[in-house]
Amino acid sequence: MESAVVDEDGRAQVRTAWTFTVPPGQVWTALTEAQHVPRWFDTLDPVPRAVGDRYRLVDSATEGTVRACAPGSLLALSWEYGTDTSEVEVRLTAPTNAAGMTDTAGAGAAACRLELLHTMTADDHWREYGPGATGVGWDGALLALERYLRGEDGTDPASMTAFFATAEGHAWIESCARMWEAAHRAAGASRERAAACRDRTVAAYTA
């Protein structure tokens, strides 16, 4: 799991990257097909079929438009919640090694690197939580996806909510929030601001 942040000129972006030990096609199917998405994320209705189509995530009341799609490698969406609109982009690639070359000797063909970028206005929510609230939220979803791809039980939203309410879940949230604190500082935030955003994020997710 990797975390990075952009915070400049009123624009904010969180970037998280995960590597899954299954082929990209299997990850793409879990991301885009209506029978799979609710098993780790949310109920998708309507289901978009092409660029320009609308989608809606029923449980979270999030909706938007498909901005771009390259099956198996790229999905870009507007992300609309209430009056807020932001942009989400997901990229799937083969993992690379330290030299930047496709890693065929390590994870091999049965592996996929997922990079998610969420770009938004640096509004009051960002000023309060920094990248933590958005970053921890996406990493929690990708943890569920990772477990689902491994064939584990208990990856649906209700089960993951129950997990995050446990001591183990709280420890995971705190660890994840610290990673986003470090990414926030690397993007130029002061030690005090990054720590305060971390603490507010942890409090919001463990209340």
Side-chain angles (χ1 to χ4, degrees), residues 144-159:
L145 175 59
E146 179 183 59
R147 293 179 172 183
Y148 177 64
L149 291 169
R150 289 201 303 248
E152 297 183 18
D153 295 326
T155 61
D156 60 278
S159 297

Side-chain angles (χ1 to χ4, degrees), residues 105-182:
C112 175
R113 174 182 167 86
L114 182 153
E115 184 179 23
L116 185 148
L117 300 92
H118 193 156
T119 306
M120 65 209 79
T121 302
D123 57 9
D124 290 343
H125 185 272
W126 181 268
R127 284 185 281 275
E128 182 172 3
Y129 296 103
T134 301
V136 170
W138 280 119
D139 282 333
L142 294 174
L143 175 64
L145 175 59
E146 179 183 59
R147 293 179 172 183
Y148 177 64
L149 291 169
R150 289 201 303 248
E152 297 183 18
D153 295 326
T155 61
D156 60 278
S159 297
M160 293 301 295
T161 297
F163 165 73
F164 288 125
T166 66
E168 182 183 0
H170 283 187
W172 187 91
I173 289 167
E174 290 174 11
S175 175
C176 191
R178 289 187 182 279
M179 290 177 52
W180 286 106
E181 175 192 10

